[in-house]
Amino acid sequence: MLRFNAIRTGYLLGISLVLAAIIYFFASNWGGLDRTVKIVLAAALIVLFYGLSFVFARLRAIPGQQVFLSNVFLVAGCIAFGVSVALLGQIYNSHADSYGLFLIWSVPALLLSWITRYNPFYVLPYVLIHLGLWLYFYPTMQGASYSELESLSIAGVFALVNLGLFLFTFLRRLSSTPLKFISFIVFHIALLTMTNSFAFDEYGLVMNIPCIAVIAIGFYVFIKIRLNKTLLTLNALAASAFAVFKFIELTEAYFSSLFFVFGLIFVALLLTGNVWFFRYLNRLGKASPEAETAVPEERSNEWISKAVSRMIKVVGVLIGSISLIGLITISANVNHTEYVLLSVSLLLMISMIVIPDSKLDSVIRYTLLTISYITGWAAILWSDQSLLSVLFLIVSIAGWFRSRGKRQLFFAYTFVNLNLATILFQQFQEWEHWNWTYEFIIFSLFLVNAVLYGISYFVFKAGLREHLRDSSLFFSLVFLFWATFFEDVIPHSYMLINIFYFVVVTGMVFVFIRLKQKSAAITSVVFWFIFIGFKYYDLLWTLLYKSFTLALLGIIALGITWWLDRRTPHSGKAAFEADHHSFSFMRLSPLLIVIVIVLQLGIIGFQTVRSENLLATGASIKLKLAPVDPRSLLQGDYVMLNYDISTPPPSSRTPLQEENWKRGKVKVVLTPGSQGVYTANRLYQKGEKLANHEIVLNGQWDGSRIQYGIENYFIPEGTGRTVEQNAHYAYIRVSRNGDALLERLAES
């Protein structure tokens, strides 16, 4: 089984690299391909991935893996469709990162989720629909201005959508565990946003009532009606987040010594209630008759109870830290408050380290210990004294040895790293070249963690060894990833560090799988994907070169994985497949999936024909503009165009009634002026006749400017500055019904 997991991981990484290469290539907007070739290539990629899914569903060339590959290629085909839709937008210069792009993309993803019941197809449309909704309300590069009630309503839309989806999954009308938990989390995030009194002066206070009611109902439902400790954990997290957020709001309004005393009392009550609650919860789980027959997802699990306890402890940590720091800052009548703060934190740390476990509840111990970490680190940053930093580091290391439990050890280890970084900064901040100092500190922290990872196998006893190994690995990868953004210290050092990172992390993935170190393997995979994602925006290497490199690496990864797969016994593969009850969706529902594929190709064809027809038959007009230069996520570099007609002068509005300028769709009448440049004359009134020289252009009034759908002009990577300097006019094609398409930019 271990070998098969490694092989599947290899296939997944290889396919991911190829997909990333395709996205990077199209986003680079390489000038070597004309639009016809790009469109054909986009359609061919869709057919290719779906074709591979069909081939692996039918052929038995790779027993044990062909079903997995068939399903992965099916998902890849849907992703390729989204990339193709984005490419059409790039070719015809329409709406960078438009909400329409993601909503169109979500249609086949939704259909495939209904056909396959496959979790990746449930998650993909969920993400796409939320992106579409977000970009509809808050378009990229357009400052959306809403009233408090409108903003509250937008948050309410997200809350209601996710509440409905959660109820749908919770009541088992739809079987998808990831969707159930994601929708529950996003619902509470949206609801908490609506209680923000900083943003909603008028409505935030009132929205606290439904938020509290929802949290209370959640506790009742997940305890009394249907025992579900996972959802209970998330509900407790929502309650914790609400408590912290309200405490911050109250701190803003009532900043005083008495308030911070109240904060410390609140922490004590919270921690006491935490202990009582979980004793009750454990008894409830054991006594509940439903617990004996519940599905595995809903059974009583000790680790979930501990997770809830930790969530509440986090609340105590945050509130207690804020209260203690605030109380000392306000109350201390000394010239150097930072020393008082450091002394209190050291005394608190030492007390928590020395007091035996039998004398103090573990939750309270670790809460107070964490508060002392936070306040002490704040104090050493404030004091800027290296000797005090070293003293605090020694006590922090002792606190790490004293900690019990994975999360407590990780938290303590985090502060050890923060203390080391502080000491290094204090020692080398006077270096002449600050960039070298910064890079030296990061490399030093990487080396320290790498050495600690190495010696963890030989020095510490079993419990601490595993925790040190996981923590040091995580921070080693954090600092090494950080180093991949450094500019050249020596010639080609940037490229060498990136290659080193990629090779090392890729190797780690397979080594840790082979060694059966699950947490280390997961950490390595996460950092591998983070690297691929972040390097998209790294401007020191062009998207085109990245595309070729990633494609080559993907082919190599797939080749090596296939070679290893061929060396695995066929009998073992068949047993593995049987054990995992895997089946190909392409084999089970080929007709329905083919219909979806035809629909996708039809969307690509329709949009292409429509745009080509407009280019061929539309009236050509000339507009004056002023560009700026951002980047689209999927479509690459573009210039954001601001036309003169986007902000019509007051003279064009004087004949109009003010109510005609409410937000929404408008039709603007354009008339030619000097040098053939068209200008906005008036709003078109339904039924009016136009002069021969006048043209109507469809737009969307957002309260400050008109959007015509021709504000984006996609360009090859790295040419934005040249376009900004030289492009002063845009040539537009306008159809008879007022739709527009941006044709080209020009100096005159």
Side-chain angles (χ1 to χ4, degrees):
M1 179 177 176
L2 181 63
R3 183 161 186 159
F4 288 102
N5 284 331
I7 290 172
R8 287 194 168 190
T9 302
Y11 281 129
L12 182 61
L13 296 184
I15 294 171
S16 299
L17 285 169
V18 172
L19 273 174
I22 293 169
I23 294 172
Y24 285 18
F25 177 76
F26 285 149
S28 70
N29 200 1
W30 183 40
L33 299 177
D34 61 26
R35 66 173 183 262
T36 303
V37 175
K38 288 181 179 179
I39 294 169
V40 172
L41 184 59
L45 285 171
I46 297 174
V47 174
L48 172 65
F49 282 115
Y50 284 126
L52 288 171
S53 177
F54 179 81
V55 168
F56 280 103
R58 295 292 175 177
L59 299 181
R60 310 293 293 183
I62 313 178
Q65 301 295 346
Q66 77 280 353
V67 170
F68 169 75
L69 288 173
S70 175
N71 295 337
V72 169
F73 279 123
L74 188 64
V75 176
C78 191
I79 294 174
F81 167 73
V83 175
S84 299
V85 174
L87 178 63
L88 288 180
Q90 181 198 84
I91 293 171
Y92 297 109
N93 299 301
S94 64
H95 300 93
D97 290 334
S98 165
Y99 71 90
L101 186 160
F102 295 102
L103 292 181
I104 291 172
W105 189 357
S106 69
V107 172
L110 279 170
L111 291 174
L112 288 171
S113 69
W114 171 71
I115 294 169
T116 64
R117 305 294 197 270
Y118 192 32
N119 272 326
F121 279 126
Y122 282 133
V123 175
L124 181 59
Y126 176 88
V127 173
L128 294 175
I129 290 172
H130 277 72
L131 279 173
L133 286 173
W134 181 264
L135 291 170
Y136 175 79
F137 293 117
Y138 302 101
T140 305
M141 300 299 294
Q142 298 173 21
S145 177
Y146 296 107
S147 66
E148 281 193 20
L149 184 58
E150 289 172 330
S151 298
L152 192 71
S153 301
I154 292 171
V157 168
F158 284 94
L160 290 174
V161 167
N162 282 276
L163 176 60
L165 185 57
F166 167 72
L167 292 176
F168 207 60
T169 53
F170 182 67
L171 298 175
R172 297 172 186 167
R173 300 294 185 269
L174 177 66
S175 179
S176 176
T177 301
L179 271 190
K180 177 165 62 178
F181 295 143
I182 293 172
S183 60
F184 186 79
I185 293 170
V186 175
F187 165 66
H188 276 286
I189 291 174
L191 198 61
L192 182 61
T193 301
M194 297 168 72
T195 70
N196 184 357
S197 61
F198 297 130
F200 307 116
D201 293 334
E202 188 174 350
Y203 303 100
L205 183 62
V206 176
M207 290 305 301
N208 287 322
I209 299 173
C211 188
I212 295 171
V214 166
I215 292 172
I217 292 171
F219 280 118
Y220 177 78
V221 170
F222 304 139
I223 293 175
K224 294 291 186 181
I225 298 179
R226 183 183 293 179
L227 182 62
N228 188 312
K229 289 194 173 182
T230 304
L231 290 174
L232 193 59
T233 299
L234 297 177
N235 202 68
L237 178 60
S240 302
F242 178 81
V244 172
F245 200 64
K246 296 302 111 179
F247 183 81
I248 293 173
E249 288 182 348
L250 292 172
T251 303
E252 170 74 14
Y254 306 102
F255 189 83
S256 66
S257 300
L258 183 61
F259 178 80
F260 289 122
V261 171
F262 165 75
L264 292 174
I265 296 173
F266 175 76
V267 169
L269 293 174
L270 183 69
L271 296 176
T272 303
N274 174 48
V275 174
W276 289 347
F277 173 76
F278 283 104
R279 287 175 181 171
Y280 165 75
L281 186 61
N282 289 333
R283 292 196 302 270
L284 177 67
K286 294 174 182 178
S288 173
E290 292 87 355
E292 300 297 328
T293 58
V295 295
E297 174 193 330
E298 297 175 339
R299 288 178 182 163
S300 175
N301 293 309
E302 184 180 355
W303 71 268
I304 298 178
S305 298
K306 291 180 179 179
V308 177
S309 177
R310 289 167 186 139
M311 301 298 178
I312 297 175
K313 187 183 77 172
V314 168
V315 178
V317 168
L318 292 173
I319 295 177
S321 301
I322 294 171
S323 299
L324 186 60
I325 294 173
L327 184 62
I328 293 175
T329 302
I330 293 176
S331 303
N333 294 318
V334 294
N335 293 329
H336 297 285
T337 308
E338 65 272 22
Y339 298 136
V340 177
L341 196 64
L342 181 60
S343 300
V344 172
S345 64
L346 286 173
L347 288 173
L348 194 58
M349 282 179 73
I350 294 171
S351 300
M352 294 302 101
I353 293 171
V354 172
I355 297 176
D357 291 338
S358 59
K359 300 294 184 180
L360 188 64
D361 183 85
S362 61
V363 173
I364 296 176
R365 176 193 303 280
Y366 292 124
T367 300
L368 295 176
L369 193 59
T370 306
I371 290 174
S372 65
Y373 280 135
I374 296 174
T375 54
W377 187 57
I380 63 173
L381 287 176
W382 191 352
S383 66
D384 196 23
Q385 297 292 324
S386 299
L387 183 61
L388 294 178
S389 300
V390 172
L391 174 62
F392 192 73
L393 173 63
I394 295 171
V395 179
S396 298
I397 294 173
W400 180 81
F401 278 102
R402 182 65 178 82
S403 298
R404 300 290 183 271
K406 186 174 182 179
R407 287 166 180 79
Q408 288 81 11
L409 284 162
F410 180 82
F411 195 82
Y413 190 87
T414 300
F415 271 92
V416 171
N417 274 273
L418 288 174
N419 292 339
L420 282 172
T422 303
I423 293 170
L424 289 171
F425 174 77
Q426 290 170 342
Q427 291 297 314
F428 299 105
Q429 62 180 325
E430 301 300 330
W431 274 17
E432 182 178 351
H433 301 287
W434 161 242
N435 285 340
W436 289 11
T437 304
Y438 164 69
E439 293 168 3
F440 172 78
I441 292 173
I442 298 302
F443 274 119
S444 298
L445 292 170
F446 161 69
L447 291 173
V448 168
N449 283 277
V451 170
L452 287 173
Y453 179 81
I455 66 176
S456 65
Y457 284 88
F458 309 103
V459 176
F460 298 99
K461 59 183 181 180
L464 289 177
R465 181 171 63 244
E466 279 76 23
H467 294 308
L468 178 60
R469 186 185 304 163
D470 290 342
S471 299
S472 59
L473 173 66
F474 176 83
F475 281 100
S476 295
L477 292 176
V478 166
F479 293 122
L480 184 59
F481 177 67
W482 199 333
T484 63
F485 292 92
F486 293 162
E487 297 181 6
D488 285 338
V489 179
I490 59 175
H492 309 299
S493 64
Y494 168 80
M495 184 177 297
L496 292 173
I497 292 172
N498 278 268
I499 293 173
F500 175 74
Y501 178 95
F502 182 83
V503 171
V504 167
V505 177
T506 304
M508 283 180 173
V509 172
F510 294 101
V511 169
F512 289 137
I513 291 176
R514 186 176 182 83
L515 295 176
K516 300 182 180 180
Q517 296 182 12
K518 182 178 178 180
S519 62
I522 292 174
T523 300
S524 303
V525 169
V526 169
F527 274 94
W528 190 91
F529 278 103
I530 288 175
F531 176 80
I532 298 297
F534 267 88
K535 289 304 161 179
Y536 178 90
Y537 285 101
D538 191 344
L539 300 180
L540 297 179
W541 202 12
T542 66
L543 290 174
L544 189 62
Y545 292 151
K546 291 176 187 176
S547 174
F548 295 150
T549 304
L550 292 177
L552 178 61
L553 292 172
I555 292 170
I556 293 173
L558 290 173
I560 294 174
T561 305
W562 178 81
W563 178 77
L564 292 173
D565 195 12
R566 295 289 293 178
R567 293 171 61 88
T568 303
H570 287 262
S571 58
K573 295 177 183 180
F576 177 83
E577 184 177 350
D579 289 342
H580 286 71
H581 308 289
S582 54
F583 50 86
S584 170
F585 303 114
M586 185 65 80
R587 194 178 183 89
L588 290 178
S589 307
L591 180 59
L592 292 176
I593 292 176
V594 167
I595 292 173
V596 176
I597 296 171
V598 172
L599 173 64
Q600 291 173 326
L601 294 174
I603 292 172
I604 299 294
F606 172 78
Q607 184 59 41
T608 300
V609 171
R610 181 173 177 271
S611 299
E612 288 294 332
N613 182 63
L614 201 161
L615 285 175
T617 63
S620 179
I621 66 174
K622 181 181 178 182
L623 301 175
K624 188 172 178 57
L625 53 83
V628 294
D629 181 23
R631 169 177 286 187
S632 166
L633 179 64
L634 293 175
Q635 298 157 307
D637 289 2
Y638 65 98
V639 287
M640 184 74 180
L641 306 178
N642 182 30
Y643 298 93
D644 283 358
I645 63 172
S646 298
T647 53
S651 58
S652 70
R653 296 172 57 180
T654 50
L656 305 171
Q657 297 296 324
E658 189 66 26
E659 56 266 20
N660 290 335
W661 285 90
K662 292 180 180 178
R663 291 181 184 177
K665 294 181 179 180
V666 295
K667 290 179 176 288
V668 180
V669 179
L670 306 181
T671 57
S674 61
Q675 299 180 342
V677 177
Y678 279 72
T679 58
N681 180 269
R682 66 187 184 277
L683 284 185
Y684 175 77
Q685 301 297 316
K686 186 176 182 180
E688 74 168 292
K689 293 184 178 180
L690 299 175
N692 292 334
H693 62 279
E694 293 179 330
I695 288 179
V696 170
L697 192 60
N698 296 331
Q700 185 84 16
W701 174 253
D702 64 5
S704 60
R705 62 198 301 262
I706 303 175
Q707 302 288 331
Y708 296 98
I710 51 174
E711 284 73 25
N712 307 135
Y713 185 74
F714 292 92
I715 55 176
E717 185 183 13
T719 61
R721 184 64 61 185
T722 302
V723 173
E724 286 184 25
Q725 294 173 349
N726 299 327
H728 304 295
Y729 298 94
Y731 286 85
I732 311 297
R733 290 281 182 176
V734 185
S735 67
R736 291 183 178 181
N737 63 2
D739 292 336
L741 201 62
L742 175 57
E743 190 173 15
R744 62 187 175 91
L745 304 182
E747 289 189 58
S748 59

